[in-house]
Each structure stands twice: as structure tokens, then as C-alpha cells.
Amino acid sequence: EAGVTQFPSHSVIEKGQTVTLRCDPISGHDNLYWYRRVMGKEIKFLLHFVKESKQDESGMPNNRFLAERTGGTYSTLKVQPAELEDSGVYFCASSQNLQGKAQYFGPGTRLLVL
Amino acid sequence: QKEVEQNSGPLSVPEGAIASLNCTYSDRGSQSFFWYRQYSGKSPELIMFIYSNGDKEDGRFTAQLNKASQYVSLLIRDSQPSDSATYLCAVNPSASGTYKYIFGTGTRLKVLA
């Protein structure tokens, strides 16, 4: 069974540009999550989809971040316009549909904003 | 006070010894607890999860949960150099319908050959 995949693995952009990250969850997992780790800090929750619906977006830092999951399969996270403080590793995870179930993480996208 | 706290380490243990990693959490109603291992530049890999007070064993790994004291620990027996990694504690808060994890900063473990 394929795990969570993310694309791209790395992205280097200039401040003010737009970047779109993609996540493909484990097949059959209705729950999809985005997390972010900035340098020296803990991994922090951004948002949670159940199928195509946003269940919890309490961790989204501001309106420069837009997440979508059309059709309830893969998800995209767009940052527009990117700022220096957006640099970090963006992880996607997926889980089965029960609270407290284990989440399985993808390899992450390393974003550097210059 | 951080919601989930871990000692950042590094924790150094000799090969073959028991490594003990600890985590405390602030949300008393939390129900689900997870340990992940993360090698440098890689994704967090699920090692153990525990929901009930007491011990849960899986191979060389034992997770221990004490809800009254609000801590969860991970013991690694017969530590190997390949166990050298950062170990992340994650907690699912108690709020109904909340699926998100709160992570600690991780403890770096070094197993010395």
C-alpha cells in the first residue's frame, strides 16, 4: 500500500511569489491534515479535511494560505504571496475516520522563501 | 507552559542499554497519545500509540501512560545505533471532534556503538 506522498520535495521561491504544495493521502483515508515545522520549533497543525470539507482550520496562520481538497482525494496548499516567515517543512498526514486514530505522515515539502 | 513538553536532548545511551524518553502534556482530558520517530530530513514514522493507562509493549518498544500525572513515556530496550533519531510525542486534545495532534519539540536520541 502506498503511503502519503507530497510534491514537490523542495521549493525555493522569492518573497511575494506563489507556491502550491500537493499531498496525496493513503487510499481510503477520508481525513487529511496539513502541518508545518519552522526551524527550531515543534510541528504545528494547520488544518484538517474530512473528504472535501474543512473540518478544522484553526491553525492556518493567515489568509495568504489557501487549502483545497476538491473531490476528496488529493489536497493542495497554496501560499500567496509568500513571506520569509513561511519557510519551513510542510507535512501532510492522513488517517482513517475516527477521532484518535493514528495519522501517517508524508515526507514533507521543504519550502524556502528568500 | 507548552501544551506538550519534551526534553530536547540529546539523550546519549550506550548500545544495548534502555533509552527512556519522556513527555508531559497539559490537557488533562487528552485521550490519545502517539510516539513518532523522525530521522533527519525524513517524515515522522509512527512507532507506538497508547490510549489507556499502563504499559503497552511492541517488540523492543514500550509506551507508558499515566493520565493522573499527565505524562507518557517511551522505553527502547536493547538500543541500537539505528535507533538514533528524534522522537516526537504527539497528543490528540480532548475537545470533541478535534482530530489534530499537538506535538512536542522532540527528543534527540543518540545510541553510541
Side-chain angles (χ1 to χ4, degrees), chain B residues 45-86:
Chain B
E45 174 193 4
L46 181 68
I47 297 294
M48 296 279 293
F49 57 87
I50 187 166
Y51 303 138
S52 304
N53 272 331
D55 294 1
K56 180 181 177 182
E57 188 174 314
D58 184 1
R60 295 187 298 113
F61 299 97
T62 298
Q64 299 175 318
L65 175 61
N66 184 324
K67 290 185 177 180
S69 299
Q70 294 174 244
Y71 83 77
V72 55
S73 61
L74 179 70
L75 301 179
I76 306 174
R77 288 181 300 282
D78 188 23
S79 295
Q80 301 297 309
S82 58
D83 294 326
S84 298
T86 296

mmCIF file of all heavy atoms in Angstrom, chain B residues 45-86:
data_model
loop_
_atom_site.group_PDB
_atom_site.id
_atom_site.type_symbol
_atom_site.label_atom_id
_atom_site.label_comp_id
_atom_site.label_asym_id
_atom_site.label_seq_id
_atom_site.Cartn_x
_atom_site.Cartn_y
_atom_site.Cartn_z
ATOM 1 N N GLU B 45 7.663 8.855 11.564
ATOM 2 C CA GLU B 45 7.226 7.470 11.380
ATOM 3 C C GLU B 45 6.585 6.998 12.676
ATOM 4 O O GLU B 45 7.194 7.061 13.742
ATOM 5 C CB GLU B 45 8.441 6.611 11.041
ATOM 6 C CG GLU B 45 8.186 5.138 10.958
ATOM 7 C CD GLU B 45 9.471 4.331 10.935
ATOM 8 O OE1 GLU B 45 10.565 4.917 11.060
ATOM 9 O OE2 GLU B 45 9.385 3.097 10.807
ATOM 10 N N LEU B 46 5.353 6.513 12.614
ATOM 11 C CA LEU B 46 4.647 6.074 13.810
ATOM 12 C C LEU B 46 5.328 4.865 14.440
ATOM 13 O O LEU B 46 5.582 3.869 13.767
ATOM 14 C CB LEU B 46 3.201 5.725 13.458
ATOM 15 C CG LEU B 46 2.325 5.268 14.617
ATOM 16 C CD1 LEU B 46 2.066 6.420 15.576
ATOM 17 C CD2 LEU B 46 0.999 4.712 14.092
ATOM 18 N N ILE B 47 5.617 4.994 15.746
ATOM 19 C CA ILE B 47 6.246 3.896 16.481
ATOM 20 C C ILE B 47 5.207 3.198 17.362
ATOM 21 O O ILE B 47 5.091 1.983 17.357
ATOM 22 C CB ILE B 47 7.394 4.425 17.375
ATOM 23 C CG1 ILE B 47 8.489 5.049 16.513
ATOM 24 C CG2 ILE B 47 7.958 3.314 18.246
ATOM 25 C CD1 ILE B 47 9.200 4.061 15.648
ATOM 26 N N MET B 48 4.500 3.981 18.145
ATOM 27 C CA MET B 48 3.557 3.424 19.114
ATOM 28 C C MET B 48 2.393 4.390 19.303
ATOM 29 O O MET B 48 2.553 5.597 19.144
ATOM 30 C CB MET B 48 4.220 3.251 20.493
ATOM 31 C CG MET B 48 5.349 2.278 20.576
ATOM 32 S SD MET B 48 4.786 0.583 20.732
ATOM 33 C CE MET B 48 4.035 0.576 22.351
ATOM 34 N N PHE B 49 1.253 3.862 19.697
ATOM 35 C CA PHE B 49 0.175 4.698 20.192
ATOM 36 C C PHE B 49 -0.383 4.031 21.441
ATOM 37 O O PHE B 49 -0.313 2.810 21.598
ATOM 38 C CB PHE B 49 -0.914 4.917 19.141
ATOM 39 C CG PHE B 49 -1.533 3.663 18.612
ATOM 40 C CD1 PHE B 49 -2.610 3.085 19.253
ATOM 41 C CD2 PHE B 49 -1.039 3.071 17.459
ATOM 42 C CE1 PHE B 49 -3.187 1.926 18.757
ATOM 43 C CE2 PHE B 49 -1.608 1.922 16.948
ATOM 44 C CZ PHE B 49 -2.681 1.342 17.601
ATOM 45 N N ILE B 50 -0.939 4.838 22.325
ATOM 46 C CA ILE B 50 -1.485 4.316 23.574
ATOM 47 C C ILE B 50 -2.666 5.153 23.967
ATOM 48 O O ILE B 50 -2.647 6.387 23.830
ATOM 49 C CB ILE B 50 -0.386 4.261 24.676
ATOM 50 C CG1 ILE B 50 -0.906 3.566 25.932
ATOM 51 C CG2 ILE B 50 0.165 5.649 24.988
ATOM 52 C CD1 ILE B 50 0.203 3.173 26.908
ATOM 53 N N TYR B 51 -3.713 4.492 24.450
ATOM 54 C CA TYR B 51 -4.939 5.191 24.829
ATOM 55 C C TYR B 51 -5.273 5.017 26.314
ATOM 56 O O TYR B 51 -5.948 5.854 26.899
ATOM 57 C CB TYR B 51 -6.137 4.665 24.021
ATOM 58 C CG TYR B 51 -5.992 4.756 22.528
ATOM 59 C CD1 TYR B 51 -6.406 3.703 21.712
ATOM 60 C CD2 TYR B 51 -5.460 5.879 21.914
ATOM 61 C CE1 TYR B 51 -6.288 3.773 20.327
ATOM 62 C CE2 TYR B 51 -5.334 5.954 20.534
ATOM 63 C CZ TYR B 51 -5.756 4.901 19.749
ATOM 64 O OH TYR B 51 -5.632 4.969 18.378
ATOM 65 N N SER B 52 -4.801 3.905 26.916
ATOM 66 C CA SER B 52 -5.194 3.580 28.290
ATOM 67 C C SER B 52 -4.003 3.677 29.231
ATOM 68 O O SER B 52 -2.855 3.460 28.828
ATOM 69 C CB SER B 52 -5.742 2.157 28.351
ATOM 70 O OG SER B 52 -6.812 2.000 27.452
ATOM 71 N N ASN B 53 -4.279 3.954 30.474
ATOM 72 C CA ASN B 53 -3.236 3.974 31.498
ATOM 73 C C ASN B 53 -2.515 2.643 31.543
ATOM 74 O O ASN B 53 -3.118 1.589 31.366
ATOM 75 C CB ASN B 53 -3.848 4.238 32.879
ATOM 76 C CG ASN B 53 -3.952 5.712 33.191
ATOM 77 O OD1 ASN B 53 -3.164 6.522 32.712
ATOM 78 N ND2 ASN B 53 -4.953 6.069 33.975
ATOM 79 N N GLY B 54 -1.216 2.709 31.813
ATOM 80 C CA GLY B 54 -0.449 1.485 31.932
ATOM 81 C C GLY B 54 0.600 1.387 30.847
ATOM 82 O O GLY B 54 1.019 2.381 30.281
ATOM 83 N N ASP B 55 1.029 0.151 30.611
ATOM 84 C CA ASP B 55 2.089 -0.115 29.646
ATOM 85 C C ASP B 55 1.526 -0.804 28.410
ATOM 86 O O ASP B 55 0.589 -1.584 28.480
ATOM 87 C CB ASP B 55 3.145 -1.039 30.270
ATOM 88 C CG ASP B 55 3.881 -0.392 31.411
ATOM 89 O OD1 ASP B 55 3.571 0.777 31.749
ATOM 90 O OD2 ASP B 55 4.780 -1.038 31.994
ATOM 91 N N LYS B 56 2.164 -0.502 27.282
ATOM 92 C CA LYS B 56 1.849 -1.187 26.030
ATOM 93 C C LYS B 56 3.177 -1.533 25.365
ATOM 94 O O LYS B 56 3.995 -0.651 25.140
ATOM 95 C CB LYS B 56 1.005 -0.298 25.118
ATOM 96 C CG LYS B 56 0.653 -0.949 23.794
ATOM 97 C CD LYS B 56 -0.154 -0.001 22.928
ATOM 98 C CE LYS B 56 -0.450 -0.632 21.574
ATOM 99 N NZ LYS B 56 -1.189 0.299 20.685
ATOM 100 N N GLU B 57 3.354 -2.822 25.071
ATOM 101 C CA GLU B 57 4.631 -3.279 24.541
ATOM 102 C C GLU B 57 4.492 -3.700 23.089
ATOM 103 O O GLU B 57 3.496 -4.304 22.681
ATOM 104 C CB GLU B 57 5.125 -4.460 25.381
ATOM 105 C CG GLU B 57 6.535 -4.921 25.077
ATOM 106 C CD GLU B 57 7.007 -6.010 26.043
ATOM 107 O OE1 GLU B 57 6.799 -5.852 27.260
ATOM 108 O OE2 GLU B 57 7.553 -7.006 25.558
ATOM 109 N N ASP B 58 5.531 -3.385 22.301
ATOM 110 C CA ASP B 58 5.583 -3.816 20.908
ATOM 111 C C ASP B 58 7.047 -4.023 20.554
ATOM 112 O O ASP B 58 7.765 -3.041 20.312
ATOM 113 C CB ASP B 58 4.941 -2.773 19.991
ATOM 114 C CG ASP B 58 4.894 -3.226 18.533
ATOM 115 O OD1 ASP B 58 5.344 -4.362 18.231
ATOM 116 O OD2 ASP B 58 4.419 -2.458 17.682
ATOM 117 N N GLY B 59 7.479 -5.275 20.605
ATOM 118 C CA GLY B 59 8.882 -5.564 20.316
ATOM 119 C C GLY B 59 9.789 -4.939 21.359
ATOM 120 O O GLY B 59 9.595 -5.125 22.560
ATOM 121 N N ARG B 60 10.758 -4.163 20.895
ATOM 122 C CA ARG B 60 11.682 -3.522 21.835
ATOM 123 C C ARG B 60 11.116 -2.237 22.436
ATOM 124 O O ARG B 60 11.762 -1.617 23.280
ATOM 125 C CB ARG B 60 12.998 -3.206 21.117
ATOM 126 C CG ARG B 60 13.775 -4.417 20.644
ATOM 127 C CD ARG B 60 15.144 -4.046 20.082
ATOM 128 N NE ARG B 60 15.061 -3.194 18.908
ATOM 129 C CZ ARG B 60 15.469 -1.921 18.866
ATOM 130 N NH1 ARG B 60 15.980 -1.346 19.940
ATOM 131 N NH2 ARG B 60 15.380 -1.233 17.745
ATOM 132 N N PHE B 61 9.942 -1.830 22.014
ATOM 133 C CA PHE B 61 9.350 -0.566 22.453
ATOM 134 C C PHE B 61 8.242 -0.796 23.476
ATOM 135 O O PHE B 61 7.439 -1.713 23.326
ATOM 136 C CB PHE B 61 8.768 0.199 21.260
ATOM 137 C CG PHE B 61 9.778 0.567 20.206
ATOM 138 C CD1 PHE B 61 9.927 -0.224 19.077
ATOM 139 C CD2 PHE B 61 10.574 1.688 20.342
ATOM 140 C CE1 PHE B 61 10.852 0.100 18.094
ATOM 141 C CE2 PHE B 61 11.499 2.026 19.366
ATOM 142 C CZ PHE B 61 11.643 1.227 18.245
ATOM 143 N N THR B 62 8.237 0.048 24.511
ATOM 144 C CA THR B 62 7.146 0.050 25.484
ATOM 145 C C THR B 62 6.701 1.484 25.695
ATOM 146 O O THR B 62 7.528 2.348 26.008
ATOM 147 C CB THR B 62 7.581 -0.549 26.830
ATOM 148 O OG1 THR B 62 7.967 -1.905 26.650
ATOM 149 C CG2 THR B 62 6.431 -0.484 27.843
ATOM 150 N N ALA B 63 5.416 1.722 25.507
ATOM 151 C CA ALA B 63 4.843 3.026 25.826
ATOM 152 C C ALA B 63 4.178 2.927 27.194
ATOM 153 O O ALA B 63 3.553 1.920 27.521
ATOM 154 C CB ALA B 63 3.830 3.453 24.772
ATOM 155 N N GLN B 64 4.349 3.967 27.997
ATOM 156 C CA GLN B 64 3.739 4.008 29.318
ATOM 157 C C GLN B 64 2.922 5.284 29.437
ATOM 158 O O GLN B 64 3.392 6.361 29.077
ATOM 159 C CB GLN B 64 4.835 3.993 30.400
ATOM 160 C CG GLN B 64 5.710 2.759 30.373
ATOM 161 C CD GLN B 64 6.848 2.834 31.386
ATOM 162 O OE1 GLN B 64 7.481 3.862 31.548
ATOM 163 N NE2 GLN B 64 7.101 1.722 32.069
ATOM 164 N N LEU B 65 1.717 5.152 29.959
ATOM 165 C CA LEU B 65 0.823 6.304 30.104
ATOM 166 C C LEU B 65 0.340 6.413 31.531
ATOM 167 O O LEU B 65 -0.111 5.424 32.124
ATOM 168 C CB LEU B 65 -0.373 6.173 29.156
ATOM 169 C CG LEU B 65 -1.462 7.233 29.251
ATOM 170 C CD1 LEU B 65 -0.907 8.623 28.945
ATOM 171 C CD2 LEU B 65 -2.624 6.888 28.313
ATOM 172 N N ASN B 66 0.433 7.614 32.081
ATOM 173 C CA ASN B 66 -0.088 7.904 33.411
ATOM 174 C C ASN B 66 -0.919 9.177 33.298
ATOM 175 O O ASN B 66 -0.381 10.286 33.307
ATOM 176 C CB ASN B 66 1.061 8.086 34.407
ATOM 177 C CG ASN B 66 0.583 8.303 35.832
ATOM 178 O OD1 ASN B 66 -0.430 8.949 36.054
ATOM 179 N ND2 ASN B 66 1.310 7.770 36.786
ATOM 180 N N LYS B 67 -2.224 9.016 33.157
ATOM 181 C CA LYS B 67 -3.093 10.169 32.946
ATOM 182 C C LYS B 67 -3.193 11.043 34.192
ATOM 183 O O LYS B 67 -3.348 12.259 34.092
ATOM 184 C CB LYS B 67 -4.481 9.715 32.495
ATOM 185 C CG LYS B 67 -4.507 9.134 31.092
ATOM 186 C CD LYS B 67 -5.923 8.822 30.651
ATOM 187 C CE LYS B 67 -5.935 8.299 29.222
ATOM 188 N NZ LYS B 67 -7.323 7.978 28.778
ATOM 189 N N ALA B 68 -3.102 10.449 35.370
ATOM 190 C CA ALA B 68 -3.196 11.233 36.605
ATOM 191 C C ALA B 68 -2.029 12.223 36.700
ATOM 192 O O ALA B 68 -2.204 13.367 37.133
ATOM 193 C CB ALA B 68 -3.220 10.317 37.813
ATOM 194 N N SER B 69 -0.868 11.781 36.281
ATOM 195 C CA SER B 69 0.318 12.638 36.321
ATOM 196 C C SER B 69 0.564 13.347 34.997
ATOM 197 O O SER B 69 1.511 14.132 34.874
ATOM 198 C CB SER B 69 1.550 11.811 36.694
ATOM 199 O OG SER B 69 1.375 11.228 37.976
ATOM 200 N N GLN B 70 -0.239 13.037 34.001
ATOM 201 C CA GLN B 70 -0.166 13.688 32.694
ATOM 202 C C GLN B 70 1.193 13.510 32.041
ATOM 203 O O GLN B 70 1.818 14.487 31.585
ATOM 204 C CB GLN B 70 -0.569 15.174 32.802
ATOM 205 C CG GLN B 70 -2.044 15.334 33.174
ATOM 206 C CD GLN B 70 -2.432 16.771 33.424
ATOM 207 O OE1 GLN B 70 -2.806 17.149 34.534
ATOM 208 N NE2 GLN B 70 -2.347 17.592 32.408
ATOM 209 N N TYR B 71 1.658 12.274 32.027
ATOM 210 C CA TYR B 71 2.875 12.017 31.273
ATOM 211 C C TYR B 71 2.762 10.709 30.512
ATOM 212 O O TYR B 71 2.022 9.800 30.884
ATOM 213 C CB TYR B 71 4.120 12.046 32.165
ATOM 214 C CG TYR B 71 4.424 10.776 32.921
ATOM 215 C CD1 TYR B 71 4.997 9.668 32.286
ATOM 216 C CD2 TYR B 71 4.165 10.684 34.281
ATOM 217 C CE1 TYR B 71 5.270 8.512 32.978
ATOM 218 C CE2 TYR B 71 4.445 9.519 34.979
ATOM 219 C CZ TYR B 71 4.990 8.434 34.337
ATOM 220 O OH TYR B 71 5.267 7.297 35.033
ATOM 221 N N VAL B 72 3.525 10.678 29.442
ATOM 222 C CA VAL B 72 3.619 9.476 28.627
ATOM 223 C C VAL B 72 5.097 9.273 28.306
ATOM 224 O O VAL B 72 5.831 10.252 28.089
ATOM 225 C CB VAL B 72 2.758 9.594 27.344
ATOM 226 C CG1 VAL B 72 3.106 10.818 26.529
ATOM 227 C CG2 VAL B 72 2.828 8.338 26.506
ATOM 228 N N SER B 73 5.541 8.046 28.345
ATOM 229 C CA SER B 73 6.951 7.780 28.102
ATOM 230 C C SER B 73 7.116 6.656 27.090
ATOM 231 O O SER B 73 6.179 5.886 26.823
ATOM 232 C CB SER B 73 7.679 7.443 29.405
ATOM 233 O OG SER B 73 7.126 6.278 29.983
ATOM 234 N N LEU B 74 8.302 6.597 26.523
ATOM 235 C CA LEU B 74 8.664 5.544 25.570
ATOM 236 C C LEU B 74 9.981 4.938 26.024
ATOM 237 O O LEU B 74 10.962 5.669 26.218
ATOM 238 C CB LEU B 74 8.816 6.121 24.159
ATOM 239 C CG LEU B 74 9.214 5.118 23.072
ATOM 240 C CD1 LEU B 74 8.061 4.160 22.788
ATOM 241 C CD2 LEU B 74 9.625 5.836 21.780
ATOM 242 N N LEU B 75 9.972 3.627 26.216
ATOM 243 C CA LEU B 75 11.195 2.910 26.565
ATOM 244 C C LEU B 75 11.641 2.120 25.343
ATOM 245 O O LEU B 75 10.824 1.453 24.698
ATOM 246 C CB LEU B 75 10.955 1.946 27.728
ATOM 247 C CG LEU B 75 10.459 2.549 29.040
ATOM 248 C CD1 LEU B 75 10.243 1.454 30.070
ATOM 249 C CD2 LEU B 75 11.432 3.589 29.563
ATOM 250 N N ILE B 76 12.923 2.196 25.064
ATOM 251 C CA ILE B 76 13.502 1.411 23.971
ATOM 252 C C ILE B 76 14.527 0.480 24.598
ATOM 253 O O ILE B 76 15.551 0.931 25.130
ATOM 254 C CB ILE B 76 14.175 2.301 22.908
ATOM 255 C CG1 ILE B 76 13.194 3.369 22.399
ATOM 256 C CG2 ILE B 76 14.665 1.446 21.744
ATOM 257 C CD1 ILE B 76 13.824 4.377 21.451
ATOM 258 N N ARG B 77 14.230 -0.815 24.544
ATOM 259 C CA ARG B 77 15.166 -1.798 25.116
ATOM 260 C C ARG B 77 16.205 -2.178 24.085
ATOM 261 O O ARG B 77 15.958 -2.115 22.875
ATOM 262 C CB ARG B 77 14.404 -3.043 25.570
ATOM 263 C CG ARG B 77 13.568 -2.843 26.820
ATOM 264 C CD ARG B 77 12.865 -4.150 27.214
ATOM 265 N NE ARG B 77 11.976 -4.612 26.150
ATOM 266 C CZ ARG B 77 10.775 -4.094 25.935
ATOM 267 N NH1 ARG B 77 10.325 -3.126 26.685
ATOM 268 N NH2 ARG B 77 10.018 -4.568 24.958
ATOM 269 N N ASP B 78 17.363 -2.635 24.573
ATOM 270 C CA ASP B 78 18.426 -3.091 23.683
ATOM 271 C C ASP B 78 18.655 -2.060 22.557
ATOM 272 O O ASP B 78 18.592 -2.386 21.372
ATOM 273 C CB ASP B 78 18.075 -4.465 23.095
ATOM 274 C CG ASP B 78 19.216 -5.097 22.307
ATOM 275 O OD1 ASP B 78 20.377 -4.724 22.556
ATOM 276 O OD2 ASP B 78 18.942 -5.932 21.426
ATOM 277 N N SER B 79 18.904 -0.841 22.951
ATOM 278 C CA SER B 79 19.059 0.253 21.979
ATOM 279 C C SER B 79 20.154 -0.066 20.963
ATOM 280 O O SER B 79 21.224 -0.594 21.311
ATOM 281 C CB SER B 79 19.408 1.546 22.714
ATOM 282 O OG SER B 79 18.363 1.956 23.545
ATOM 283 N N GLN B 80 19.878 0.293 19.716
ATOM 284 C CA GLN B 80 20.807 0.077 18.625
ATOM 285 C C GLN B 80 21.195 1.430 18.006
ATOM 286 O O GLN B 80 20.417 2.378 18.053
ATOM 287 C CB GLN B 80 20.157 -0.796 17.550
ATOM 288 C CG GLN B 80 19.714 -2.163 18.055
ATOM 289 C CD GLN B 80 20.890 -2.994 18.521
ATOM 290 O OE1 GLN B 80 21.878 -3.157 17.798
ATOM 291 N NE2 GLN B 80 20.798 -3.522 19.741
ATOM 292 N N PRO B 81 22.363 1.496 17.394
ATOM 293 C CA PRO B 81 22.742 2.755 16.725
ATOM 294 C C PRO B 81 21.691 3.219 15.726
ATOM 295 O O PRO B 81 21.497 4.427 15.544
ATOM 296 C CB PRO B 81 24.059 2.390 16.042
ATOM 297 C CG PRO B 81 24.653 1.339 16.917
ATOM 298 C CD PRO B 81 23.473 0.520 17.393
ATOM 299 N N SER B 82 20.967 2.287 15.114
ATOM 300 C CA SER B 82 19.924 2.657 14.148
ATOM 301 C C SER B 82 18.715 3.318 14.820
ATOM 302 O O SER B 82 17.853 3.871 14.133
ATOM 303 C CB SER B 82 19.454 1.426 13.370
ATOM 304 O OG SER B 82 18.967 0.439 14.258
ATOM 305 N N ASP B 83 18.645 3.258 16.146
ATOM 306 C CA ASP B 83 17.570 3.938 16.866
ATOM 307 C C ASP B 83 17.871 5.429 17.041
ATOM 308 O O ASP B 83 17.017 6.189 17.508
ATOM 309 C CB ASP B 83 17.368 3.328 18.266
ATOM 310 C CG ASP B 83 16.867 1.899 18.208
ATOM 311 O OD1 ASP B 83 16.089 1.572 17.286
ATOM 312 O OD2 ASP B 83 17.259 1.105 19.089
ATOM 313 N N SER B 84 19.072 5.840 16.688
ATOM 314 C CA SER B 84 19.452 7.254 16.811
ATOM 315 C C SER B 84 18.572 8.082 15.885
ATOM 316 O O SER B 84 18.592 7.900 14.662
ATOM 317 C CB SER B 84 20.931 7.443 16.457
ATOM 318 O OG SER B 84 21.756 6.736 17.343
ATOM 319 N N ALA B 85 17.794 8.968 16.468
ATOM 320 C CA ALA B 85 16.810 9.757 15.725
ATOM 321 C C ALA B 85 16.187 10.741 16.705
ATOM 322 O O ALA B 85 16.515 10.750 17.886
ATOM 323 C CB ALA B 85 15.733 8.855 15.124
ATOM 324 N N THR B 86 15.268 11.545 16.202
ATOM 325 C CA THR B 86 14.464 12.407 17.069
ATOM 326 C C THR B 86 13.121 11.732 17.301
ATOM 327 O O THR B 86 12.492 11.263 16.356
ATOM 328 C CB THR B 86 14.258 13.792 16.434
ATOM 329 O OG1 THR B 86 15.534 14.431 16.306
ATOM 330 C CG2 THR B 86 13.352 14.654 17.298
#
